[in-house]
Structures are given as C-alpha cells and as structure tokens.
Amino acid sequence: MMQAWPSIQGLRSKAAWALAAAIGLGLGAFGLLVASELIAYRAVFTRAEGQNDLKNELRVAQGAYLAKLGNCAACHSSRGGAPFAGGKAIHTPFGAVFASNITPDRLHGIGNWSADAFYRALHHGVSADGRLLTPAFPYPNYTQISRADSDALYAYFQYGVSAVAQPNQPSELRFPFNTQLALAAWRVLFFTPREVEIAPDSIASRAVLERDEIEKDVKSEAPSKLGQGFTRSPENGSERDAEGALWLRGRYLVNGLAHCSACHAARNVLGAADSSGLFAGALMPMQDWYAPSLHDPKQAGVQHWPRQQVVALLKNGVTEGASALGPMAEVVAKSTQHWRDEDLQATAAYLQRLPLQSLREIKPEAPSPQALAHGGALYVQHCATCHGQQGQGMQQLDAWGQQGVVQIPSLAGNRAVSLPSSANLVRIILAGGYAPSTAGNPKPYGMPPFVHVLTDTDIAAVTTYIRASWGNTAAPVSASEVVAHRRGVLQ
Amino acid sequence: MLFLMRFSRHALTRLFCRGGVRRLFGASSMVWVAICSPWHAAWAKNGPVRGVSTQNAIAQNGAKRLQACTTCHGAGEAATVGRSANEMYFPRIAGKPAAYLYNQLLHFRDGRRHYGLMVGLVEHQSDAALQDMARYFAQLDLPYPEPQPLAAGMTQTQLLRGRQLALRGDARVALPACVSCHGAALLGVEPAMPGLLGLPRDYIAGQIGAWQTGMRRAFAPDCMAQVAKKLSPEDVSAVAAWLSMQIVPAASRAEPAPLSSARSRTASLNHVSKPVRSSSAAGASVQPTAATLTCAE
C-alpha cells in the first residue's frame, strides 16, 4: 500500500529525507543483488578434462548409495515410471512443479551435463543452462554436499542409470513465482551457498582419501594422519573423539543429503525456513501432514531415547512408542531402511544432541462431556479390538510377527496422538495406513480407513476422547478441523 | 440364473467358435494358457504353492492383521471379512483367485490402477507382504449376499442385451463373451481370472470405464482394454446391470486352471514374464516375449 506523500512541511524535514534516502539505498542494494543473481550464472556444458575418471564402478556404487541417502527417487521417480525420469508433481503453495528427468538422456535428461554443472546444481541451485532452479529442489540443503559426493552422484546418474527420453514438464507456478526475477529475489533473501570441509566426512572422499593414504603410506615411511577415518576410534582411544566424529557425520547427513529440514522446518509465507529453526516442526504445506519438532521430546525429539531405538525407527519403521506413517513412511521405505548402520548411528548421534526446546505449556481447554461420551462409545466399537480398551496397543507376537517389533501401537502416552496439530491423527483415521514394509518389519499391521464409516463429528469425538484419555492431555479436536483434513485425504 | 447352468462349456464353445469369431477367442485351452500365463507368472515367481499348515497359519494370522481391509471390503457395520456391500462401490475380495488379488495390489502400488485410498495403503509394501494379503483373502469361503435390486429405468431389452454380451459376446464387433475368459459360470478361473458375479453394478461399470480411458491397466497383453473399448456406454450399463443381479450359487469357487496350463505353470516358475504358448496341438513350447503375446490366437 502506498502511503500518502509527505506534506510540503514534511518534505522539508531532514528526518523524512533521511528515511527516504535509506529506503532508496536499501531497495537499490537489493535490486543490485537480485540483478547480480540473474546474471551470475552462465551455461556450463563442456565436460571438464579428466571427467572420465568418474566412470568407474566404485564411484557409481558410491553414488547409488548416496542417491539412497538423499532419497532422490522420492521426487525424481514417478509411480510406475522409469527410475529418475521425472514427471512427478510436487505441489507447493505457489503452484505445482514437476521433477525433472535426471537420467543420462542427452536431450531431456542430464546426459550432456559436466560434473561441474552437476555440482553447481547441487551447490548453487542453478541448472546447467544457467537457469535458477525453484527451491522445491532442496538445494538449501544440498548446498552442503561435498564435491567428492557430488562427483559420486554424478557418476551414478551418468553411468549407473538408464537413459530415458522423457520430456520435462514445465512448471505450473503462478505469476510472478514462475519468473527468474522472483527466484533471484528469493535467493538473495533466503539462500547462501555453503562450503563444507570435505575431509573424511563424505563416503566418496573417504574412500578416495583412504586409497591415496594407502598409496602414500606405502611410499613413505611415516603414516599420515588423514587416513584415520572419523568412524574408527583413534588409537589414543578417546570415545569422545569417536562420538564427535559420528556427530559430525550425522550433521553432514541430516543437514545435507537427508534434507530433513525440508519437511521439519517451519516455513514462512515465501516458503523459506523461518527463524524458529530447522527442525522446529511444522504443518507441511499442501501435504497437510504435521512434521513434528525434533527438538521437543513431547513431539519427536529423541534426545532421551536409547541410541539403538533411534536406529531401529529409521531402519525398521517401527519401534516402541513410534511408527513412521504418512510422508515419513516414504522416507523410511525408500531411503533410511537402506542406510548403512554407521550412517544410522551418525544420524542418531546428531539428532540426540539437538537442543531441547519445548513449546510453552498451555493448559488445553477441557473437552466437553458429550464429546467424551460419544468418543468413548465410538472407541469401544471401532478401535478397542486392536488398540485395547485402555489404549495399550498390542505387543504380542503372532506367527507372522517379527521378534520384538511392535504390532499395534499403544495410544496411551503416544506422542503422535498428542501433537499440537491434530492433522496426523485425523488423517490416519480417515485414510488408514501401513507402516513401511522393511527387512525388520516385513509384514506390518494395517490401520483401516474410516473415511466412509465415520462422520466429521464422529472423528472429532473419538480423537478428542483419545487425546484426553489414559494420561493423554492434548487439546480437543473440532469437527471443522476434520473437515479440512478430509478434503486432503480424498484428493 | 438358470441360464448359466444350461450352457455347458462345450455348448458355449460350439456357439462361439463359428466363422471369424473362432480366431478371436476360441475356447481352446491354448488360449487360456496364453491369456492366463502373464498374470500367473507374476504370481508364481515369488514362491511355490504353500502347504496346508501354512494355509492354516495364514488364516489364523491374517484375520487380525488384515482388518485394515474390512472397513471397505467388508459388509456393513459388522464388517464380516471379505463380504462386499453391494450398495457401495467396493468389490468383494473373499474367495477371489489369489494371483488376481496379488496382481491388483501390485497394480495399485505401481501405478496401473488409481484409487487414492488403496494406493496409500499398499504403496510401501513389499511383494511378499502383498502376496500374504492376497493369499489370506483368496482362501476365505463366505456366502454371497443377495444380488443388487434392478436399477431404476432398466428395461428388459437392456437386460437381454447384457445377458447376450455376457454369454455370447457380439460377433459384429468381434467382441468375445465374458464367459470365454471368466468361466462358464462367471465365477472366475484359477489362477488369475476373477469372477464377475456378486459385484456392485457401479464397480463393474467403473472398471470397464477405467479400462476405456486407460486409468486402469493390466499386465501385458491388456486384453480387457481391448474388450472394454468395443463396448458402448449402453452396453456397459447393460452388462453391469445384468451381472450384478445374478444370484450366485451356494458352492461358488473359481474354476480350476485348465489342464494344459500345467506345463505353462512349470515354465512360468522359471521364466518371469515369458509365458509359454503352445503353437501347435503337439505342444511344442515357444517362449515369446510378452510384447509378442496378443489376446487373439
């Protein structure tokens, strides 16, 4: 909104002139930065000398594993489509973007990209032809990937993936979000490329360094220090050093390839992570699931868990007191269940050291007696046969059950039940779901969908009842919340 | 109702294999082999047929574990496992051939069928988990509910048209009869051909429509896509109405697989997606790729 021009008297005022000058300078500087973003990147296609070094089996295998770490397939492979051929729609509040073809096809894929161009795409979020990419591709996370890991990924996508001639679908972003100018402005405000010490953090670089160190050791008399990998305990036996190394690797993974903050960070109106932190938890825009806070032990913080339980959740998809459902089921199914144990340990080490942050305790309003009575009756009718009369769940094994794997989660004291947002609870009741089928939990139990059985009032009542029973003390759920989530389920 | 019982398979064959229609869907067993094998291959590659003790285990363990399926595929509030509520859209899955059920779960998971709730449920399940689900529901033996009442506005002419399509097909457009693949009693054929009785009218019409638009696909050769495209909208409602009002006899399981498919089953265990098709009566086995396999023989 334009304010009224200052009056003649005001214009004469020095303060007004100073303010106008400051605003003008600020806008001018901003404009310069945006302009520099627009012209900073030119097309880079020529393949560098020595690039064929990347065409070796070790690199390709490392790249394949890194692609699992980064879960590239979750966006770049569409259901039933060829791997990494793109086409999947990613819905944002600004319109839909479509994942690109990253197979080595020369016309539609990245077949004519150089390793430099690939690294620039990850590090700067710029395509090989110089176009700025939308941050639906999480380059604010991928900027932290080391050059060595980028080269391994490049090797995999060039030499380990079959070329598919599938054209890329242009995005359906609304004006002005579909312009390069808007992207440049966004980047000036919210994105800074980061350099990360390469060192032995990354798998590829570690393998390369170890190979180099072995050669050097063979040639020289004195063993070098670099070869002491961060995941081996140093010879002076300090467990703290080993734990520190694990933490560093975990930080590299969580903030980089695993891009956890892409879901777990609260986003501002322009879609950038806001100041509350990278893992503060948020309702995911468009997907309408709540990604819980990793800082808050009452949400999804794992600071007080045994290390192995964190590993088990990521590897198997279920553990005592938690199961991966909704979008997290995809993360476990396509990514974390395939991670090596050392990487799961590193991730757990980092997550367990995240600072504790709890939401301010607000006493929730008391649920109405009618809602509790109605919800209780519905619970007995529909839920108690599996979840137990006291919400205790079912831990017994059957012949199909995996030893020690939770079969049906308990609702009493279940963190997912008592989250600040009722979205997850309502959605799982509406659409049902299975935990992901993993090696540790190959035949999961399923939650049935109740979308056509229970009305909005019914679901509001039963969720209110569950959230207020057996020690749970979360806020009641209204029917209008359920209406909003029902629309998301049936899309 | 009794019409079905009158037409023995042999009689239908004679009715059907006349003139040019013989080429399209002759009731020779070789055609059954050619049609059934692709679907059977997907099923067979994951393991041998289980013994009785495993079947019992499946029955015991499946009931609770697979309650996720009964709120839709069960009947009414009591949700008797596997019964379909004909007034709704969801199909019966109890007693369907196991390979058919398994293939449908694969289709939902891998993008050949689109129904949001189903996709969300199976999208992260392994092949083995889906196989167990299919086996559990296939071994159920539950009574069928009463057939759906006649749709308002359905005339006798339309019903006769539906019966004709189901039992005799339409020679003018080289359309095979439903019985030529789905069994003489329209109760399906093992291992992978489903029955057509006891299904909601809207579900049948919806699936044929989905094949017409490509929203539903099957493994190659997608014969139903070709069949569906020959049906006019009036034909679709006629055959859906007629099928949904048939009474299902008390003892109603799918027919056993045709005899000559024994050879195909053995071969299919070793050759995924390369079904055997006997090219001559002497039974010389050819191993065509799926691409060369067609519905016409």
Side-chain angles (χ1 to χ4, degrees):
Chain A
M1 289 279 291
M2 292 284 287
Q3 300 205 346
W5 287 107
S7 64
I8 300 290
Q9 292 84 351
L11 273 175
R12 287 196 194 118
S13 152
K14 279 187 190 164
W17 277 114
L19 183 61
I23 292 173
L25 270 175
L27 283 174
F30 182 71
L32 272 175
L33 286 170
V34 170
S36 69
E37 274 291 312
L38 281 172
I39 62 174
Y41 303 105
R42 58 180 177 80
V44 170
F45 281 109
T46 51
R47 296 168 98 91
E49 289 294 322
Q51 188 164 291
N52 285 333
D53 285 353
L54 293 173
K55 188 177 181 176
N56 69 68
E57 278 178 25
L58 179 63
R59 290 287 180 134
V60 171
Q62 287 166 349
Y65 177 67
L66 290 168
K68 279 265 170 13
L69 279 181
N71 205 5
C72 311
C75 287
H76 285 280
S77 301
S78 53
R79 187 190 310 280
F84 304 111
K88 179 169 173 174
I90 293 133
H91 298 281
T92 77
F94 317 103
V97 297
F98 296 92
S100 55
N101 182 341
I102 55 174
T103 68
D105 187 75
R106 295 193 75 81
L107 180 59
H108 302 294
I110 59 171
N112 58 350
W113 284 31
S114 64
D116 290 330
F118 189 85
Y119 177 66
R120 193 178 70 168
L122 291 179
H123 192 68
H124 288 283
V126 181
S127 179
D129 58 4
R131 267 182 321 115
L132 304 174
L133 296 171
T134 62
F137 174 60
Y139 55 84
N141 294 96
Y142 293 157
T143 186
Q144 301 175 46
I145 296 175
S146 68
R147 180 65 199 242
D149 282 350
S150 165
D151 284 344
L153 281 166
Y154 175 81
Y156 172 63
F157 285 118
Q158 292 292 332
Y159 308 117
V161 172
S162 307
V164 177
Q166 178 171 312
N168 290 314
Q169 196 168 346
S171 77
E172 291 174 359
L173 292 168
R174 293 190 297 277
F175 183 82
F177 305 108
N178 55 349
T179 59
Q180 290 282 290
L181 184 65
L183 277 172
W186 190 93
R187 291 158 64 92
V188 166
L189 289 172
F190 300 121
F191 173 62
T192 311
R194 286 188 49 186
E195 289 292 344
V196 142
E197 301 150 20
I198 297 179
D201 265 351
S202 57
I203 279 191
S205 58
R206 183 166 69 234
V208 169
L209 280 170
E210 283 179 358
R211 184 201 68 201
D212 290 346
E213 290 318 306
I214 289 167
E215 288 177 11
K216 225 195 293 181
D217 284 351
V218 164
K219 288 182 192 145
S220 77
E221 296 292 329
S224 72
K225 289 197 180 57
L226 272 176
Q228 293 174 5
F230 275 18
T231 56
R232 293 201 302 275
S233 292
E235 277 161 20
N236 50 4
S238 163
E239 280 188 11
R240 213 177 55 207
D241 284 348
E243 177 71 7
L246 217 53
W247 182 89
L248 280 172
R249 172 112 183 114
R251 181 179 70 169
Y252 175 72
L253 287 176
V254 168
N255 289 328
L257 274 166
H259 63 290
C260 306
S261 62
C263 293
H264 283 275
R267 304 253 148 205
N268 61 22
V269 70
L270 289 176
D274 73 11
S275 56
S276 60
L278 288 177
F279 308 110
L283 193 67
M284 292 161 64
M286 308 310 286
Q287 293 196 53
D288 205 32
W289 285 86
Y290 179 76
S293 164
L294 300 178
H295 292 288
D296 189 346
K298 290 204 187 65
Q299 295 195 30
V302 293
Q303 293 89 340
H304 300 304
W305 281 18
R307 174 72 51 92
Q308 274 312 112
Q309 194 174 350
V310 185
V311 171
L313 178 61
L314 293 173
K315 189 164 184 61
N316 301 329
V318 289
T319 185
E320 186 87 35
S323 49
L325 294 170
M328 198 61 198
E330 183 183 44
V331 172
V332 172
K334 293 185 180 166
S335 183
T336 62
Q337 69 158 323
H338 303 293
W339 292 14
R340 295 177 194 158
D341 187 66
E342 62 203 50
D343 288 332
L344 290 170
Q345 297 279 347
T347 302
Y350 179 71
L351 291 176
Q352 291 192 302
R353 282 202 150 70
L354 285 178
L356 288 164
Q357 286 167 19
S358 283
L359 292 178
R360 210 177 70 241
E361 284 283 341
I362 303 170
K363 197 168 182 313
E365 62 176 274
S368 76
Q370 297 91 331
L372 283 179
H374 184 36
L378 286 169
Y379 182 84
V380 166
Q381 181 182 8
H382 294 290
C383 322
T385 48
C386 289
H387 286 285
Q389 294 286 345
Q390 305 302 321
Q392 73 272 21
M394 197 178 86
Q395 316 296 329
Q396 296 101 323
L397 305 168
D398 58 19
W400 278 353
Q402 203 75 355
Q403 185 81 19
V405 173
V406 168
Q407 302 300 321
I408 294 177
S410 66
L411 301 177
N414 187 327
R415 300 188 303 180
V417 161
S418 302
L419 290 172
S421 167
S422 63
N424 296 0
L425 186 57
V426 170
R427 288 187 71 109
I428 204 74
I429 293 175
L430 283 172
Y434 281 81
S437 173
T438 60
N441 186 21
K443 291 169 189 172
Y445 267 71
M447 166 80 183
F450 288 94
V451 63
H452 59 283
V453 176
L454 296 176
T455 66
D456 297 330
T457 321
D458 287 342
I459 293 182
V462 75
T463 50
T464 299
Y465 173 79
I466 292 169
R467 281 159 69 95
S469 302
W470 321 300
N472 298 333
T473 54
V477 179
S478 68
S480 55
E481 290 174 58
V482 179
V483 170
H485 298 311
R486 187 185 284 268
R487 197 173 65 90
V489 162
L490 291 179
Q491 267 164 2
Chain B
M1 315 42 149
L2 289 177
F3 297 120
L4 290 167
M5 295 305 153
R6 267 197 226 159
F7 288 90
S8 71
R9 194 157 152 202
H10 180 60
L12 279 169
T13 308
R14 280 204 335 236
L15 243 175
F16 189 56
C17 294
R18 285 181 183 170
V21 184
R22 181 208 299 265
R23 284 179 55 246
L24 179 55
F25 265 100
S28 68
S29 306
M30 299 173 192
V31 179
W32 291 114
V33 165
I35 294 169
C36 295
S37 300
W39 298 284
H40 184 55
W43 166 256
K45 84 171 173 172
N46 277 308
V49 177
R50 289 193 177 185
V52 172
S53 61
T54 324
Q55 287 290 102
N56 288 341
I58 289 171
Q60 283 163 17
N61 297 314
K64 203 168 188 72
R65 184 179 288 272
L66 298 174
Q67 262 181 301
C69 312
T70 59
T71 57
C72 293
H73 291 283
E77 293 295 335
T80 307
V81 172
R83 294 183 66 164
S84 70
N86 271 347
E87 59 274 14
M88 300 179 79
Y89 181 83
F90 307 114
R92 176 190 180 95
I93 54 178
K96 297 282 168 152
Y100 171 74
L101 292 177
Y102 173 60
N103 287 339
Q104 301 320 303
L105 293 172
L106 290 179
H107 293 331
F108 281 116
R109 189 190 67 185
D110 300 334
R112 287 177 293 274
R113 282 187 74 167
H114 303 274
Y115 188 72
L117 283 177
M118 279 303 296
V119 171
L121 287 167
V122 302
E123 62 181 333
H124 302 305
Q125 302 307 302
S126 65
D127 288 357
L130 296 180
Q131 271 206 325
D132 276 346
M133 290 180 197
R135 283 198 178 102
Y136 172 73
F137 287 104
Q139 52 91 34
L140 288 177
D141 199 0
L142 296 170
Y144 277 77
E146 289 296 308
Q148 261 185 311
L150 198 55
M154 197 46 77
T155 66
Q156 190 66 9
T157 319
Q158 287 169 304
L159 279 179
L160 282 174
R161 173 67 177 159
R163 174 170 160 264
Q164 182 209 350
L165 288 171
L167 301 184
R168 289 194 289 277
D170 191 344
R172 289 170 303 170
V173 293
L175 176 76
C178 307
V179 293
S180 61
C181 295
H182 288 276
L186 290 170
L187 289 168
V189 182
E190 293 284 353
M193 198 65 66
L196 299 179
L197 302 186
L199 290 171
R201 176 179 60 242
D202 290 338
Y203 177 76
I204 298 173
Q207 297 315 302
I208 298 177
W211 259 301
Q212 288 175 339
T213 58
M215 286 301 289
R216 174 169 175 170
R217 290 179 289 139
F219 290 124
D222 193 351
C223 299
M224 270 309 293
Q226 300 176 31
V227 167
K229 288 185 169 86
K230 294 179 203 252
L231 290 168
S232 68
E234 295 77 23
D235 288 343
V236 173
S237 15
V239 73
W242 187 84
L243 286 170
S244 66
M245 56 175 278
Q246 299 309 305
I247 295 173
V248 185
S252 53
R253 304 283 303 177
E255 289 176 17
L259 284 174
S260 72
S261 72
R263 195 174 344 136
S264 73
R265 200 179 300 133
T266 316
S268 301
L269 283 169
N270 299 322
H271 299 280
V272 175
S273 77
K274 280 189 181 164
V276 171
R277 184 178 53 185
S278 297
S279 61
S280 71
S285 305
V286 181
Q287 295 274 335
T289 59
T292 64
L293 194 63
T294 60
C295 300
E297 176 53 19

